[in-house]
Amino acid sequence: MRAGKLKDSVKQFDEFNLSAMLKKRLQAANFIVPTPVQAQAIPPALEGRDILATAQTGTGKTLSFLSPILDKMARGGLEKPANNRGAHPVQVLILLPTRELAMQVLAAYQTLEPNRRAALVVGGLAEGPQLEAIRRGGGVLIATPGRLEDYLDRKLVDLGQVQILVLDEVDRMLDMGFRPAIRRIAGLLPRERQTLCYSATLDGQTFDVAKSYLRNPVRVEVGSTLKPAANVKLRAFEVPSAKKQTLLEHLLQSEQGSFLVFVRTKHGADRVADRLSRSGWKAARIHGNRSQAQRTSALRSFAEGENRVLVATDVAARGIDVSHVAHVVNFDLPKVAEDFVHRIGRTGRAERHGVASTFADPAERNDLQKIEKTLKIRMERFRVRETAQA
């Protein structure tokens, strides 16, 4: 797979070759200066080129693929689909790993395109409104792979007329086991289409997917995909497992701002959140066993400051998009270095400063050093023994 070359980046959204109406809506939404991934990906995407982009979480990937899609729609550049024996035709398919991320993309879409509907197809939400949204048309489908395959099996959706495919957070979709689903879904699409592929990392699996579905893509790479943002302060606490909860509460007492706390298991998330609540801290939790209503409520209460702490597992947290998280805590060590980057990418966003604290039992010292070696970083070290004083 060969990648095309990038043109010079633009400095303002007004410099993009976008429709006048879309520029007006971007300005109204306070999008003035594009992020690096937007500056590099939007111009070739507007030319109809395939895109293979790697960038860390929080770099503006959503707008970098929505802008060219909405521009093409505004200019009438999408061919009108023909109905196919009751299955509703799709012109634009945006495929994502989680409900939360899909809902956030839909919200961004509706901000910039209030007149043309998009359908949300995800698990964990009532089916009726989703089917009604598909029936109303619009031709834009924002979906997770599992629920989309269910609708395809029931012949409710026709993908044979898709003109633009977006694969967002590809690495996470693969981590979640969606590679067979992606292959089956892609097999139903026309070969002649534009494909925009976004990932935080480009390992072997992700590269294989890109090679399978992209044609001579323009390669966009913003910063190091395996390195935390420079404006995040990295700290590591060597602390016995039995003292982690006490240390977390000490940090909550001594430091300001919101805390996003990562744990390894659903049961662990419940245990940490329950203990915080019993100690008087306002804490919500989000994991795979929570209903969609519970997850949405937890995200909203955290984003609005009603709950200062959000305790989360990795997969559930993938769709979290909160503008400013002051502090990320790795209560449990992540399994791999990539997950470390994803986790702490939730703080220090949009050039703000953040703090990331990692708790490691003395027995995990080698695992901590392995993460540092892989990412070529060095965390400031603290050791906790009988008290939680750092």
Side-chain angles (χ1 to χ4, degrees):
M1 179 180 65
R2 294 180 300 127
K5 293 183 179 180
L6 292 171
K7 292 187 175 182
D8 292 338
S9 297
V10 301
K11 305 296 183 184
Q12 301 261 338
F13 270 100
D14 268 348
E15 297 177 47
F16 289 128
N17 186 26
L18 297 170
S19 70
M21 180 56 71
L22 181 53
K23 285 184 178 180
K24 184 176 179 180
R25 289 173 180 165
L26 286 164
Q27 186 174 28
N30 203 32
F31 292 114
I32 307 299
V33 178
T35 67
V37 70
Q38 293 161 1
Q40 295 182 46
I42 290 175
L46 289 172
E47 296 173 358
R49 297 287 303 278
D50 284 5
I51 302 293
L52 174 57
T54 48
Q56 295 180 34
T57 301
T59 53
K61 290 182 285 184
T62 299
L63 194 59
S64 75
F65 63 73
L66 281 182
S67 294
I69 290 171
L70 293 171
D71 179 77
K72 196 166 188 178
M73 290 165 51
R75 298 178 189 273
L78 293 177
E79 296 177 13
K80 188 175 181 180
N83 283 319
N84 182 20
R85 298 187 300 278
H88 295 276
V90 176
Q91 295 168 291
V92 176
L93 174 61
I94 302 174
L95 207 58
L96 310 111
T98 68
R99 295 181 281 245
E100 287 79 15
L101 191 56
M103 292 165 70
Q104 288 162 17
V105 170
L106 177 64
Y109 174 92
Q110 291 172 332
T111 296
L112 297 173
E113 179 46 79
N115 299 320
R116 179 166 174 166
R117 299 179 187 274
L120 183 71
V121 172
V122 297
L125 293 179
E127 185 176 274
Q130 296 186 51
L131 295 177
E132 179 59 29
I134 293 171
R135 292 189 196 101
R136 287 199 302 261
V140 179
L141 203 63
I142 302 169
T144 52
R147 179 55 66 91
L148 177 57
E149 281 211 293
D150 175 38
Y151 286 8
L152 289 169
D153 290 342
R154 293 156 61 187
K155 300 191 182 336
L156 298 172
V157 176
D158 170 25
L159 299 183
Q161 301 176 66
V162 167
Q163 296 164 53
I164 301 177
L165 168 67
V166 177
L167 298 171
D168 192 18
E169 304 276 11
V170 173
D171 52 339
R172 183 55 57 175
M173 284 198 280
L174 297 177
D175 287 346
M176 294 170 68
F178 284 135
R179 185 169 186 173
I182 294 172
R183 183 175 62 249
R184 289 189 292 267
I185 291 167
L188 300 174
L189 306 179
R191 293 182 64 85
E192 293 296 320
R193 65 172 190 271
Q194 183 180 18
T195 303
L196 311 176
C197 182
Y198 292 78
S199 180
T201 61
L202 191 60
D203 59 14
Q205 271 199 98
T206 310
F207 185 79
D208 288 344
V209 167
K211 187 167 65 172
S212 300
Y213 306 129
L214 297 169
R215 296 180 303 174
N216 189 27
V218 171
R219 181 78 172 91
V220 174
E221 185 172 5
V222 177
S224 171
T225 59
L226 265 182
K227 192 170 184 179
N231 50 328
V232 177
K233 182 179 181 180
L234 304 177
R235 308 189 306 195
F237 294 83
E238 186 174 295
V239 52
S241 294
K243 299 291 183 182
K244 287 184 177 181
Q245 187 81 23
T246 305
L247 175 58
L248 174 59
E249 294 188 33
H250 168 72
L251 295 179
L252 283 165
Q253 288 174 339
S254 60
E255 303 188 7
Q256 301 295 315
S258 57
F259 275 61
L260 176 55
V261 180
F262 284 99
V263 294
R264 191 170 293 141
T265 67
K266 302 168 189 174
H267 176 70
D270 284 333
R271 184 174 63 249
V272 171
D274 287 342
R275 288 179 178 175
L276 287 173
S277 296
R278 288 197 298 270
S279 296
W281 301 103
K282 293 185 176 180
R285 83 282 309 266
I286 179 171
H287 56 67
N289 283 349
R290 306 288 283 175
S291 70
Q292 184 58 45
Q294 289 173 319
R295 292 161 72 146
T296 301
S297 176
L299 282 172
R300 183 173 58 248
S301 67
F302 181 62
E304 294 176 355
E306 180 183 341
N307 284 307
R308 185 185 174 198
V309 186
L310 180 64
V311 185
T313 54
D314 284 301
V315 170
R318 186 64 173 190
I320 293 175
D321 186 13
V322 177
S323 59
H324 182 46
V325 176
H327 203 132
V328 167
V329 174
N330 293 311
F331 192 91
D332 295 323
L333 272 184
K335 293 180 180 179
V336 295
E338 288 87 348
D339 285 340
F340 181 90
V341 175
H342 292 321
R343 287 180 178 189
I344 69 172
R346 305 296 164 176
T347 189
R349 302 176 75 164
E351 299 182 357
R352 289 173 169 158
H353 291 277
V355 179
S357 297
T358 298
F359 297 175
D361 187 89
E364 297 174 309
R365 192 177 300 157
N366 289 339
D367 295 326
L368 184 65
Q369 291 172 348
K370 185 177 179 181
I371 290 174
E372 289 182 312
K373 183 177 180 180
T374 300
L375 300 178
K376 297 180 175 62
I377 59 173
R378 178 67 181 171
M379 303 180 218
E380 185 179 5
R381 287 291 204 281
F382 299 89
R383 183 169 292 180
V384 179
R385 296 189 187 277
E386 295 304 318
T387 70
Q389 300 302 313

